[in-house]
Amino acid sequence: MGESGSGKTTLLNILASLDKPTSGEVKLNGKSVVAISEKEISAFRRKNLGFVFQDFNLLDTFSLQDNIFLPLVLSGKSYGEMNDRLIPIAEKLGISDILHKYPYEVSGGQKQRTAVARALITNPQLILADEPTGALDSHSTNSLLQLFSQINNDGQTILMVTHSLKAASYAKRVLFIKDGEVFHQLYKASGSSEEMYQKISDTLTMIATGGAGNE
């Protein structure tokens, strides 16, 4: 979390290997992301990273199933393997009965669940979520955040950029960025989402009023 211009999008772009840092290193499981050649970068993203965006980024001319399959098609997977991966994910996300539909035929919440399925189907090391609740109504937001919590508890690492206190309150750890640096961080530990919400609110107030932070 952080104010506009604090560096959230820059951080996300660096982690997504879209931008290179001017100094320092970015490592994923001990491997330097910065050292990967431009030729290998697309394959690296497909294999290791999943993306969930605010505006879903689904192709309207593809069915929901084909949108989910797309990263596996690009990786040369067989239809049988793609279908085997899809079935349990679609069941978990509650979209099994709408896979034949097109994005313009379903709700925003269903589109976002489809985008989450597309991110999960590659078994990524890391999911990068950029304001994933920004285009959703309150019901769909609650549903997605509960889904993220479940996926995270199952062992999937998710890094989310958000302006939403509610979305951040579901996280186990919140990093606050100010002027391109980690200014403060909070851990949820055994606390509730309500308690986390209040801590986040207090921290954002502290940042806005120029209070001292710590790492």
Side-chain angles (χ1 to χ4, degrees):
M1 299 193 81
E3 297 179 336
S4 296
S6 61
K8 302 187 302 298
T9 300
T10 299
L11 173 62
L12 213 60
N13 286 345
I14 288 173
L15 295 177
S17 61
L18 296 170
D19 292 337
K20 291 187 180 294
T22 50
S23 63
E25 274 192 300
V26 180
K27 290 186 176 181
L28 181 63
N29 280 350
K31 183 174 182 179
S32 174
V33 174
V34 181
I36 299 170
S37 71
E38 288 298 326
K39 185 177 180 181
E40 299 173 306
I41 210 74
S42 293
F44 169 83
R45 286 194 206 102
R46 285 198 301 271
K47 182 178 179 182
N48 296 284
L49 305 176
F51 299 90
V52 181
F53 304 96
Q54 177 176 336
D55 55 0
F56 319 128
N57 282 16
L58 300 176
L59 299 175
D60 273 339
T61 55
F62 282 27
S63 67
L64 300 186
Q65 175 174 285
D66 288 343
N67 267 285
I68 296 167
F69 280 165
L70 189 56
L72 296 184
V73 171
L74 295 173
S75 297
K77 303 297 183 184
S78 68
Y79 177 80
E81 180 177 348
M82 292 190 294
N83 201 51
D84 288 344
R85 290 197 194 186
L86 175 62
I87 291 171
I89 292 173
E91 287 179 359
K92 178 184 284 188
L93 301 186
I95 56 173
S96 300
D97 58 342
I98 59 170
L99 290 173
H100 63 285
K101 292 189 174 183
Y102 288 79
Y104 55 82
E105 298 179 303
V106 300
S107 68
Q110 291 168 324
K111 288 179 187 178
Q112 196 58 295
R113 284 173 175 262
T114 301
V116 172
R118 181 184 57 194
L120 287 172
I121 202 163
T122 60
N123 299 319
Q125 299 282 341
L126 177 65
I127 286 182
L128 300 174
D130 189 5
E131 296 283 2
T133 63
L136 303 179
D137 60 30
S138 58
H139 175 75
S140 296
T141 291
N142 290 338
S143 179
L144 180 67
L145 293 174
Q146 289 167 5
L147 182 62
F148 268 11
S149 291
Q150 179 187 348
I151 294 168
N152 181 237
N153 288 332
D154 288 343
Q156 176 65 61
T157 301
I158 303 170
L159 178 68
M160 174 172 62
V161 167
T162 184
H163 283 97
S164 167
L165 270 73
K166 182 169 190 176
S169 71
Y170 276 74
K172 293 177 180 175
R173 180 186 182 193
V174 179
L175 297 171
F176 298 88
I177 298 177
K178 184 177 182 180
D179 300 328
E181 296 185 356
V182 175
F183 176 79
H184 190 69
Q185 60 181 313
L186 294 173
Y187 288 89
K188 192 172 192 176
S190 58
S192 67
S193 291
E194 291 76 15
E195 291 170 333
M196 192 66 165
Y197 184 101
Q198 188 58 52
K199 288 181 180 178
I200 294 168
S201 178
D202 292 343
T203 301
L204 290 174
T205 299
M206 177 184 69
I207 293 172
T209 57
N214 62 70
E215 295 184 18

